[in-house]
Amino acid sequence: MTLSVLVPSSLVREAEDQREATRKIGYVARAAAVFRADNLVVFPDEDGETRWGGEFVETVLRYAATPPYLRKEVWGKRDELRYAGVLPPVLVSSTTADDSDELPALREGIVTEVGPDDRVRVNCGMQHPISLFVPPGMDVTEGERVAVRISSREPVRARIVDDPLPGFDVSRMDLTEALGRPDAGVRIATSRYGEPLSVPRLGELTARIADTGGMTVVFGSPGRGLPDMLGMTPEDVADVEPSVGPGFDLWLNTIPRQGSDVVRTEEAMFASLASLTLTE
């Protein structure tokens, strides 16, 4: 199943300072990791942005998604990452295995040197970069990020594999483009004005998600929900047809007994994905 999560560029519109904005983005990354999202997409909401917009949100999310052992080499020092130390650890399970009983482990590595005889040196969090063969038919360049399968640490036994990198991919694109991806699956807009999620409805929806091979779940920002972003009224949400708007299949209220006037994006992600990723 492919899980794509979409958040707006106005994600941190209510943050009082960059430190708070960074921490908030960190919990969005945590939610993406906890529920095994494949794609975390930032879509534009320029009218809702304040001091920190889409480029800042994307940069901090990309940094959070980068394994700790690669962050210094990949990112260096950037102003957007001034408060990166407050980010909660993402801890993608396949990249953090340190005990022998958790092997083999799939880790992300970065190619530090391309040598002769189809060998390269890769930094994948070991004590030093290690020399590995490049699989037949696979071309890599210096600075490229690759997937490394580690089967032993003492002695080191590892190989480059042509597999998707662990964790989730971060990108920035238009909402319509993101909803139009071939692997979008069931396209769900979250809103307090949507159809309330119930136990019987969840069962039907889970089966539908399984049949389509995945889902795309879209969230708004604090004080500015998806209807506001799209110029829609609560009545429009209730009457919307699948062909209307940017391409949602349904509008869903995943917190039907909401007890706070405003649910923050990261809170909505944890509450919504906990239900929507349940299996039959």
Side-chain angles (χ1 to χ4, degrees):
M1 186 186 81
T2 300
L3 172 58
S4 297
V5 177
L6 276 57
V7 296
S9 61
S10 56
L11 172 67
V12 292
R13 65 193 306 264
E14 89 292 3
E16 295 182 359
D17 53 38
Q18 186 174 337
R19 182 186 182 92
E20 181 184 347
T22 301
R23 189 191 304 276
K24 180 183 180 71
I25 294 171
Y27 284 110
V28 168
R30 277 285 296 168
V34 167
F35 296 102
R36 294 183 177 271
D38 300 284
N39 306 297
L40 182 52
V41 179
V42 181
F43 65 88
D45 177 34
E46 296 178 359
D47 291 343
E49 294 176 10
T50 50
R51 183 175 176 183
W52 300 282
E55 184 175 352
F56 173 80
V57 172
E58 180 190 19
T59 297
V60 178
L61 284 175
R62 284 186 179 276
Y63 179 88
T66 302
Y69 54 83
L70 292 181
R71 286 176 176 173
K72 183 176 181 181
E73 184 167 351
V74 173
W75 293 99
K77 291 185 177 181
R78 299 183 57 163
D79 182 66
E80 299 100 314
L81 303 174
R82 182 186 307 171
Y83 296 104
V86 305
L87 289 170
V90 173
L91 296 176
V92 174
S93 57
S94 60
T95 67
T96 57
D98 292 321
D99 301 326
S100 59
D101 59 355
E102 294 185 68
L103 297 176
L106 186 67
R107 277 196 166 211
E108 182 177 331
I110 186 167
V111 177
T112 60
E113 181 183 346
V114 177
D117 303 322
D118 294 324
R119 294 190 74 95
V120 293
R121 294 187 69 80
V122 180
N123 175 4
C124 56
M126 310 296 278
Q127 188 172 4
H128 304 286
I130 56 178
S131 179
L132 299 173
F133 280 109
V134 179
M138 183 177 177
D139 295 322
V140 299
T141 58
E142 186 173 330
E144 185 174 347
R145 295 156 86 161
V146 294
V148 178
R149 179 77 63 182
I150 301 173
S151 55
S152 173
R153 289 187 173 81
E154 293 183 5
V156 174
R157 293 192 181 94
R159 59 191 176 93
I160 297 174
V161 292
D162 191 12
D163 292 345
L165 293 173
F168 53 88
D169 178 68
V170 178
S171 61
R172 190 154 48 117
M173 67 180 70
D174 181 76
L175 182 59
T176 302
E177 180 184 0
L179 292 173
R181 293 167 58 123
D183 61 353
V186 180
R187 298 162 298 183
I188 301 170
T190 59
S191 170
R192 67 187 305 173
Y193 304 113
E195 174 191 352
L197 182 62
S198 63
V199 173
R201 186 69 175 96
L202 180 59
E204 298 171 3
L205 186 55
T206 299
R208 182 178 175 185
I209 292 169
D211 288 342
T212 59
M215 61 179 161
T216 296
V217 188
V218 188
F219 297 91
S221 59
R224 185 172 168 83
L226 288 174
D228 289 339
M229 295 180 192
L230 300 174
M232 302 172 66
T233 66
E235 291 74 21
D236 293 331
V237 172
D239 296 335
V240 72
E241 295 293 332
S243 59
V244 178
F248 296 121
D249 292 310
L250 70 157
W251 288 78
L252 200 61
N253 178 0
T254 54
I255 313 175
R257 300 184 64 188
Q258 178 176 326
S260 173
D261 289 338
V262 175
V263 176
R264 296 173 179 174
T265 307
E266 66 274 23
E267 295 169 338
M269 287 179 66
F270 276 103
S272 303
L273 297 177
S275 297
L276 295 174
T277 56
L278 289 173
T279 57
E280 290 186 279

